[in-house]
Amino acid sequence: MDTIHITMPDGAIRDVPLGTTAAEIAQQISPRLAKEALVARVAPIHGPAAAAASASTGAMAEKSPDAAPEARMTSAANGEGFLVDLRAPIDQDVRLSILTPKDPEAIQVLRHSAAHLLAAAVLELFPNVKLGIGPPIDTGFFYDFVRAEPFTPEDLERIEKKMRELAAQDIPNERKMMPKPEALELYRKWDQGFKCELVEERAIEPMVSFYTTGKFIDFCRGPHIPSTGRIRAFKLMSVAGAYWKGQEGNPQMQRIYGACFYTQQELDEYLHRLEETKRRDHRRLGQELDLFSVQEEAGPGLIFWHPKGGLVRKIMEDWLRDELLRRGYDLVYTPHIMRLELWKTSGHANFYRENMFGPIEVEKDDYQLKPMNCPGHILIYKSRLRSYRELPVRLAELGTVYRYERSGVLHGLLRVRGFTQDDAHIFCMPEQIESEIEACIDFAFAVMKTFGFSEYVVELSDWDANHPENYAGSAEDWARSTGALQTTLTRLNIPFKRMEGEAAFYGPKIDVKLIDAIGRPWQLTTVQFDFNLPGRFGLEYVGEDGNRHQPLMVHRALWGSVERFFGILIEHYAGAFPVWLAPVQAEVLPLSEKFAEYAKKVIVALKDAGFRTHLDDRNEKLQAKIRDAQMQKIPYMLIVGGKEAEAGTVSVRHQSKGDLGPRPLAEFVSSLKQEVESKSVQQ
Ligand SMILES: [Zn+2]
Ligand SMILES: [Zn+2]
């Protein structure tokens, strides 16, 4: 009998008979591994030709192109081999890994098998449906069906129940090979036209691979988990319309979506996060709290800041401008439209064209709505000859820019056509880079702390050193700047991920992503070198040696844009701004008209102390007033009646902590003052 060599991940080599399966090897290693195993990864040792040869035998056929499109996410062949069923006979020397729930890529195989389970359950309940495709997706799976009646929420419940039944039966997922004509005949008899089409288009003769789950049979490349029993933590989520093959004009299908994870806990966490995402949606909160709007009449992607949103923006911007001045930046303003010629010099008219609004003709001259602030700041730098003594020059602007985005991708405050960047450009000498970078990072962390974020991810994007021809700047420029970014991050003890080849053509950069209250990352701060613009604009300074030199240029934005950061804050705080940012910090609620006079006295005391306050003097019950103030997420409610008027107190209610009892007015004012001054981010 022939023997093959199996190289395990730890380097150990096992000699086994030809045709041994990964399941058998798992069993030899430990019964526990055999029990946990979901799928295997194999990499033929003698190169891709060997794999292709084996594909035709059907044993390890994952490289064969007879794939239904659904399989593409799970078994794309790459340098590290490909995924196969545990029961696939191994027919050559391979490197083998046996994947368990600990391996992230195995989850997509589980989800693909869950899609098959869904189709099997639907067929049991609705035998006449026509089948489309069913791939895994990021958080679960879907399957497309054609059926005359729409699937109702009750149908989904029944289908999910049936899936649980079939899962409990632990039905094996079996791979079968059959000749193409036989496969077509099978689907023709079954009247599954879409599947016939897929077999016609994709199957490579002579043999076609199928998977069966009980009565369900699918033209599918696989791989799959051994049996349905491992599919435990799933939930059908929704039905949506979809076109066959995603093309408009093709038959309409009903797509059933499901969520699927290894454990119930992971599924519960995911469902909770979905709920939270909905609850925190800044578009809904923006309307409920009357913060901003997008007006169809004015055009998509253009933001109207309402008084309350405008107030929060003012507070945010005040903080930022104070910090900019304190940290040695100069504040500038530049025009919103400038000659198109300027954008030709900068190169934007060429490489950034598709993100720009079209030019505007004025007196036979073309003008351009600005998509970026950089050329404006460059013109200020260039307005006179600079000496090394003035460097670094740090020009900052809350600069409003306009960019063309397709209307389909616009999204509330997060993706817009007009926005205000908290932009700055630093012009410095090479020996100043490190301290400038460090200062930028320090500023970015101050932003995070001030606005209540504690987790973050940092990425350093470098060039692809094998293709210097694709980049502006010399190898020396890149090495020095990337080195400065890296040294600074390392010195500050900030963990980062290096992204080789991810830099823009004009320079390396650091990106900081914030992690919000429910664990979502948001791209925010960018610190980016530019080896392109200083040359294009002929920037110079007179060095200590009396000669002219080209300064280094750094673009940096901390919030990214005021609009986007505001949207992120709304979601991070779920609309309940900490007291230093809240548009109304304390609402005064008189028990009845009788106490209007004392209520006004309280308002005056608060206003005199500099607080933002509002009197709810409607003729409503206290409960209704409290409920409305809660809905508006106002941090403090001050209830005043006879007792309070007599004692000079207020009964304090906090929007998350509830009733805090009566407090002397002066005492409340001084504790509020402290809370605001410390910029506490407690909600
Ligand atoms: Zn499949
Ligand atoms: Zn810039």
Side-chain angles (χ1 to χ4, degrees):
M1 190 166 35
D2 286 346
T3 297
I4 48 173
H5 308 291
I6 308 288
T7 310
M8 303 305 292
D10 62 0
I13 295 177
R14 305 175 87 89
D15 292 342
V16 297
L18 179 73
T20 300
T21 67
E24 287 161 352
I25 294 169
Q27 193 64 48
Q28 288 170 16
I29 294 170
S30 85
R32 187 184 168 148
L33 178 62
K35 203 166 151 257
E36 289 192 349
L38 290 161
V39 68
R41 170 171 280 286
V42 296
I45 284 173
H46 305 298
S54 77
S56 64
T57 70
M60 304 193 321
E62 307 322 315
K63 276 206 112 172
S64 89
D66 70 335
E70 63 208 66
R72 67 184 183 274
M73 296 182 67
T74 57
S75 56
N78 58 31
E80 294 149 42
F82 41 88
L83 300 180
V84 296
D85 292 344
L86 290 171
R87 280 195 290 260
I90 302 171
D91 60 357
Q92 58 181 304
D93 295 352
V94 294
R95 274 179 290 131
L96 171 74
S97 329
I98 294 164
L99 307 189
T100 67
K102 286 190 200 84
D103 300 285
E105 59 183 341
I107 185 81
Q108 292 306 84
V109 178
L110 179 88
R111 287 169 176 156
H112 185 182
S113 298
H116 280 218
L117 180 64
L118 165 62
V122 169
L123 279 173
E124 292 259 347
L125 297 169
F126 309 94
N128 297 323
V129 293
K130 304 292 171 247
L131 301 167
I133 58 162
I137 51 175
D138 267 358
T139 54
F141 56 89
F142 69 73
Y143 215 107
D144 289 344
F145 304 95
V146 170
R147 178 172 170 249
E149 304 77 33
F151 287 112
T152 64
E154 293 71 38
D155 291 338
L156 287 199
E157 267 174 46
R158 285 177 61 210
I159 296 165
E160 192 178 305
K161 198 164 153 238
K162 181 57 79 180
M163 286 173 74
R164 293 197 193 286
E165 267 173 53
L166 297 177
Q169 290 167 23
D170 201 16
I171 303 165
N173 291 317
E174 280 175 301
R175 185 188 177 92
K176 287 201 167 82
M177 301 300 293
M178 68 175 91
K180 184 171 175 179
E182 207 174 294
L184 282 171
E185 185 55 24
L186 180 140
Y187 274 139
R188 228 172 258 139
K189 268 202 192 138
W190 188 11
D191 196 18
Q192 293 289 353
F194 300 111
K195 291 290 186 192
C196 283
E197 203 178 316
L198 287 180
V199 174
E200 280 288 5
E201 279 173 15
R202 295 166 196 266
I204 303 287
E205 297 197 70
M207 299 298 270
V208 179
S209 72
F210 279 82
Y211 277 84
T212 62
T213 307
K215 281 179 263 174
F216 171 61
I217 174 159
D218 210 4
F219 167 54
C220 177
R221 173 168 63 169
H224 282 277
I225 62 168
S227 59
T228 59
R230 299 289 291 278
I231 307 167
R232 295 191 191 106
F234 64 90
K235 182 178 165 57
L236 294 186
M237 304 296 289
S238 60
V239 186
Y243 292 108
W244 169 236
K245 292 180 171 168
Q247 267 164 32
E248 218 174 313
N250 275 355
Q252 267 273 355
M253 314 194 85
Q254 297 187 62
R255 176 169 295 178
I256 300 182
Y257 281 102
C260 179
F261 292 84
Y262 286 125
T263 64
Q264 189 62 36
Q265 192 192 335
E266 287 168 307
L267 176 64
D268 289 343
E269 278 165 14
Y270 168 70
L271 295 174
H272 176 69
R273 209 162 54 236
L274 269 191
E275 275 298 302
E276 278 294 299
T277 304
K278 232 192 259 171
R279 186 172 80 85
R280 290 166 183 268
D281 189 322
H282 74 281
R283 293 165 300 176
R284 188 176 53 76
L285 286 169
Q287 192 169 17
E288 282 174 15
L289 304 177
D290 197 15
L291 299 170
F292 73 92
S293 64
V294 178
Q295 307 272 349
E296 211 25 65
E297 218 177 323
L302 301 168
I303 305 302
F304 288 79
W305 292 74
H306 293 204
K308 282 183 185 161
L311 197 47
V312 180
R313 176 171 176 165
K314 181 206 176 281
I315 299 158
M316 290 164 61
E317 290 189 354
D318 284 352
W319 177 83
L320 189 73
R321 287 199 177 92
D322 288 349
E323 282 294 312
L324 284 165
L325 292 174
R326 201 171 69 75
R327 290 168 185 265
Y329 287 79
D330 292 312
L331 296 177
V332 298
Y333 296 87
T334 58
H336 286 212
I337 64 171
M338 292 176 259
R339 281 187 208 277
L340 182 61
E341 208 49 39
L342 180 72
W343 304 98
K344 287 182 182 160
T345 307
S346 70
H348 291 101
N350 175 26
F351 70 79
Y352 205 65
R353 164 169 257 141
E354 61 213 43
N355 296 92
M356 288 159 49
F357 279 83
I360 305 163
E361 202 193 294
V362 180
E363 292 176 352
K364 301 210 164 117
D365 216 352
D366 280 337
Y367 282 79
Q368 175 63 47
L369 210 44
K370 73 170 165 183
M372 297 213 181
N373 301 301
C374 340
H377 295 184
I378 284 174
L379 293 189
I380 293 176
Y381 178 89
K382 267 188 77 164
S383 61
R384 61 184 165 80
L385 185 60
R386 306 280 175 172
S387 143
Y388 72 95
R389 285 177 219 276
E390 312 175 54
L391 299 186
V393 169
R394 308 182 191 94
L395 302 179
E397 177 177 11
L398 284 157
T400 303
V401 297
Y402 298 90
R403 293 184 188 170
Y404 169 69
E405 298 261 19
R406 282 180 300 110
S407 51
V409 302
L410 298 172
H411 182 89
L413 293 168
L414 301 179
R415 206 75 191 259
V416 294
R417 284 181 175 167
F419 56 96
T420 301
Q421 290 183 305
D422 65 315
D423 210 355
H425 295 92
I426 299 167
F427 305 89
C428 67
M429 295 185 277
E431 56 269 36
Q432 294 169 325
I433 302 181
E434 274 192 36
S435 58
E436 287 306 303
I437 298 295
E438 180 166 344
C440 286
I441 292 168
D442 185 68
F443 203 164
F445 277 75
V447 166
M448 271 177 13
K449 189 163 166 279
T450 304
F451 292 93
F453 297 88
S454 50
E455 285 180 66
Y456 59 88
V457 178
V458 176
E459 290 171 357
L460 192 168
S461 301
D462 195 1
W463 73 345
D464 175 358
N466 297 320
H467 293 280
E469 71 279 8
N470 294 341
Y471 297 89
S474 64
E476 193 201 339
D477 288 333
W478 281 85
R480 192 174 49 207
S481 310
T482 312
L485 293 173
Q486 186 167 333
T487 315
T488 311
L489 289 173
T490 308
R491 193 176 57 240
L492 297 176
N493 244 328
I494 298 169
F496 63 93
K497 209 163 112 195
R498 220 187 146 103
M499 318 285 282
E500 304 288 346
E502 290 293 307
F505 77 89
Y506 50 85
K509 63 172 177 173
I510 295 177
D511 289 321
V512 183
K513 293 187 172 119
L514 295 192
I515 310 297
D516 76 2
I518 55 170
R520 294 173 299 179
W522 300 92
Q523 167 62 48
L524 217 66
T525 297
T526 305
V527 180
Q528 165 119 47
F529 278 95
D530 195 321
F531 306 135
N532 182 42
L533 290 180
R536 278 180 166 267
F537 281 94
L539 298 188
E540 291 179 335
Y541 66 92
V542 178
E544 208 171 352
D545 56 7
N547 295 328
R548 305 272 174 110
H549 301 271
Q550 186 173 298
L552 276 161
M553 178 175 175
V554 173
H555 311 251
R556 76 108 192 89
L558 303 172
W559 295 344
S561 85
V562 185
E563 284 76 6
R564 190 160 174 279
F565 190 53
F566 185 51
I568 294 168
L569 287 184
I570 296 172
E571 302 217 350
H572 181 58
Y573 299 137
F577 289 97
V579 74
W580 78 278
L581 282 171
V584 177
Q585 295 167 314
E587 174 122 319
V588 180
L589 315 175
L591 276 176
S592 78
E593 269 171 57
K594 274 196 291 185
F595 312 107
E597 202 171 318
Y598 180 62
K600 278 181 191 141
K601 229 177 102 184
V602 172
I603 290 275
V604 169
L606 291 168
K607 284 200 169 152
D608 283 351
F611 297 123
R612 301 181 290 276
T613 181
H614 178 252
L615 173 66
D616 186 351
D617 55 2
R618 293 173 304 162
N619 195 9
E620 290 278 358
K621 288 231 159 57
L622 180 66
Q623 279 320 310
K625 291 184 181 184
I626 290 178
R627 195 192 54 225
D628 289 348
Q630 281 294 140
M631 293 275 288
Q632 286 301 304
K633 307 194 188 257
I634 295 166
Y636 288 101
M637 287 152 268
L638 306 178
I639 298 149
V640 295
K643 263 189 289 176
E644 287 82 5
E646 203 165 304
T649 59
V650 287
S651 282
V652 182
R653 206 186 148 82
H654 186 268
Q655 72 100 21
S656 68
K657 294 178 208 145
D659 195 0
L660 301 179
R663 305 260 290 279
L665 178 57
E667 191 187 303
F668 174 76
V669 166
S670 80
S671 77
L672 188 59
K673 197 165 212 151
Q674 214 170 21
E675 197 179 338
V676 171
E677 274 166 11
S678 70
K679 298 197 172 52
S680 162
V681 287
Q682 241 190 10
Q683 290 166 268

